[in-house]
Amino acid sequence: MGCCASKFPPTETHPEKEKPAQTPVRPLPPPIPTVGPLEPGTEATGVPSFSEFSLSDLKTATNNFSPEFIVSESGEKAPNIVYKGRLQNRRWIAVKKFPKLSWPDPQQFAEEAWGVGKLRHQRLANLIGYCCEGESQTIEWAMRLRVALYIAEALEYCGSEGHSLYHDLNAYRVLFDEDGDPRLSCFGLMKNSRDGKSYSTNLAYTPPEYLKNGRVTQESVIYSFGTVLLDLLSGKHIPPSHALDMIRGKNIILLMDSHLEGKFSMEDATVVVNLASQCLQNEPRERPNIKDLITILSPQQPKSDVPSYIMLGIAKHKEAPPTPQRPLSPIGEACSRMDLTAIHQLLVTMNYRDDEVTNELSFQEWTQQMRDVLEARKRGDYAFRDKDFKAAIDCYSQFIDMGTVVSPTIYARRSLCYLMCDQPDVALRDAMQAQIIYPDWPTAFYMQSVALAKLDMHQDAADMLKEAAGLEEKHQNGGRR
């Protein structure tokens, strides 16, 4: 990642006046927590000296790389994202985050960054630092075996459908779906093998026959599959010639990824290493075919009953509750999609119009206690409007704890704040409390449906959504109550 000095406004601006560069519908970020000084010094030009940043520094500056801080997304072959960020000294910066594909060699990235970081000019977005730390994850051995099998099965299917030539098969062609299952990208099926660009990787990973005649064959795909097996075994991109030397020298342990920490079956590893060696044979006719790959890999699945998302340590994809048959109001539609941003906008617009039956204020409004209550609500409303959800929770909690006025809207708003802070259990509690205050208020039921869905109680969420839609229809046909 690279950091550039930016010309964002030097003074604090109100969040409502800041417009995200990517799209105006993105929620604006909450205030960024401050950390210790990031910059070792400032040069005569007024630009900070070039330095190395830690990943923690950049996470803090960009609110943990929040989507709300994205100002640019671009690049097809090597996608990158630019975030705005703010340092302890209130200086705005731009942080460009590269995928590993763009800069596979961290040392080269660091060297080039230091070279460019010496440049200082008023017409440049001056580079003030870099970070080579990543957020990589070690994939366990059983999952690597699953990747190998699933990709082989995908290639077999493509061949049976008349698409046996897959161009430039490599680890970057392996994608993971919402359940964590590996899938093979279709784009490798579309390249023209006659354009001379079927292999964009280093020549060291290209099938020998392609170097001779420029043609991709079914055997070429098997060779490339062997390079994918090497990546799965070693956790890095090893040139086939180097890997074959290690295999011939029976240095299998040296070939294995050290991040696995020995947590693999040596018997299974030997099977996969031998299979990779067969795929990488110089003579195409000596390589196995797709069916051979599947026959060998199918028994090597030690956790076939464990879902992929568990092995990858990711949360299971959550389905939004099904939409009821009757048309939904805007708040109902937003809740059915679990679109928290849209729900927030609607609750701001609705204000307190549904509280009129509960807020019949008397002369107490002029007492100090009542002024304190209304002041707490006012501060909470400002924080809620500005998407400072933690501050809104604190202010609304003060309002509720004073106990002078009951408000279903306050509970609905605080429920959304808890959802925004990934606390669906307490969000559900607040939505239920709103229902207690106003028993047939559709919004209270809608908020419960979202919280239930976040808690993976999808059938209960669907039932609650249906109940809310029924209450709305009743109100429309027969009045408020």
Side-chain angles (χ1 to χ4, degrees), residues 73 102 135 174 415 481:
E73 298 177 78
S102 300
E135 299 178 286
V174 181
S415 176
R481 288 286 186 182

Side-chain angles (χ1 to χ4, degrees), residues 126-417:
N126 297 287
L127 189 65
I128 64 171
Y130 76 102
C131 173
C132 282
E133 296 179 48
E135 299 178 286
S136 59
Q137 171 189 357
T138 299
I139 299 178
E140 65 172 283
W141 175 244
M143 188 65 200
R144 300 186 192 204
L145 292 174
R146 180 171 298 180
V147 170
L149 175 61
Y150 282 20
I151 298 311
E153 290 176 342
L155 291 172
E156 181 189 38
Y157 166 77
C158 293
S160 69
E161 295 295 319
H163 294 277
S164 58
L165 301 185
Y166 193 98
H167 307 281
D168 201 12
L169 175 63
N170 57 64
Y172 297 114
R173 301 290 194 186
V174 181
L175 309 177
F176 294 87
D177 64 19
E178 57 195 12
D179 293 319
D181 288 328
R183 293 175 180 249
L184 180 63
S185 168
C186 286
F187 289 116
L189 300 169
M190 299 166 59
K191 287 189 176 180
N192 186 344
S193 62
R194 293 171 296 178
D195 63 7
K197 298 180 180 178
S198 290
Y199 283 87
S200 60
T201 54
N202 189 297
L203 293 180
Y205 306 93
T206 303
E209 63 274 13
Y210 181 81
L211 295 176
K212 294 178 182 178
N213 54 38
R215 294 182 56 201
V216 176
T217 65
Q218 294 183 31
E219 292 78 14
S220 305
V221 179
I222 300 298
Y223 185 94
S224 296
F225 185 83
T227 67
V228 173
L229 290 180
L230 289 183
D231 287 353
L232 292 171
L233 287 164
S234 65
K236 51 184 177 288
H237 223 29
I238 298 180
S241 58
H242 181 51
L244 288 173
D245 288 342
M246 297 174 69
I247 294 172
R248 295 188 192 100
K250 301 189 182 301
N251 294 323
I252 293 180
I253 291 296
L254 294 178
L255 181 65
M256 300 301 293
D257 187 353
S258 60
H259 291 96
L260 290 171
E261 299 177 339
K263 297 176 182 177
F264 58 87
S265 163
M266 181 55 71
E267 182 179 348
D268 290 346
T270 302
V271 170
V272 179
V273 167
N274 290 336
L275 183 59
S277 177
Q278 296 173 39
C279 292
L280 296 171
Q281 291 300 306
N282 204 52
E283 288 295 329
R285 64 176 179 271
E286 296 179 3
R287 301 169 195 160
N289 58 41
I290 295 292
K291 292 188 181 298
D292 293 334
L293 300 180
I294 295 175
T295 300
I296 295 172
L297 290 170
S298 293
Q300 315 300 320
Q301 303 297 318
K303 292 187 177 181
S304 57
D305 58 336
V306 179
S308 297
Y309 70 89
I310 291 180
M311 284 199 280
L312 290 175
I314 60 176
K316 182 174 174 54
H317 175 68
K318 298 177 181 178
E319 296 288 346
T323 304
Q325 293 299 314
R326 59 174 60 89
L328 292 176
S329 64
I331 185 72
E333 286 285 354
C335 289
S336 71
R337 302 191 310 270
M338 293 194 293
D339 187 341
L340 302 186
T341 299
I343 297 171
H344 171 262
Q345 293 172 342
L346 290 165
L347 288 179
V348 170
T349 303
M350 290 165 59
N351 202 10
Y352 289 90
R353 71 185 184 202
D354 289 322
D355 280 17
E356 58 186 0
V357 297
T358 62
N359 288 345
E360 298 176 356
L361 303 181
S362 65
F363 69 93
Q364 291 180 348
E365 184 174 355
W366 303 105
T367 65
Q368 183 61 46
Q369 181 183 9
M370 182 54 64
R371 286 197 293 271
D372 292 342
V373 170
L374 296 179
E375 179 62 26
R377 189 183 77 173
K378 183 178 179 181
R379 292 197 309 272
D381 290 343
Y382 282 145
F384 185 76
R385 182 194 63 187
D386 296 340
K387 302 181 179 66
D388 188 352
F389 298 111
K390 291 183 178 180
I393 289 173
D394 292 340
C395 295
Y396 286 149
S397 297
Q398 292 176 25
F399 174 91
I400 292 170
D401 293 342
M402 291 176 186
T404 305
V405 180
V406 291
S407 168
T409 297
I410 291 292
Y411 278 104
R413 288 185 167 203
R414 193 172 72 167
S415 176
L416 178 65
C417 291

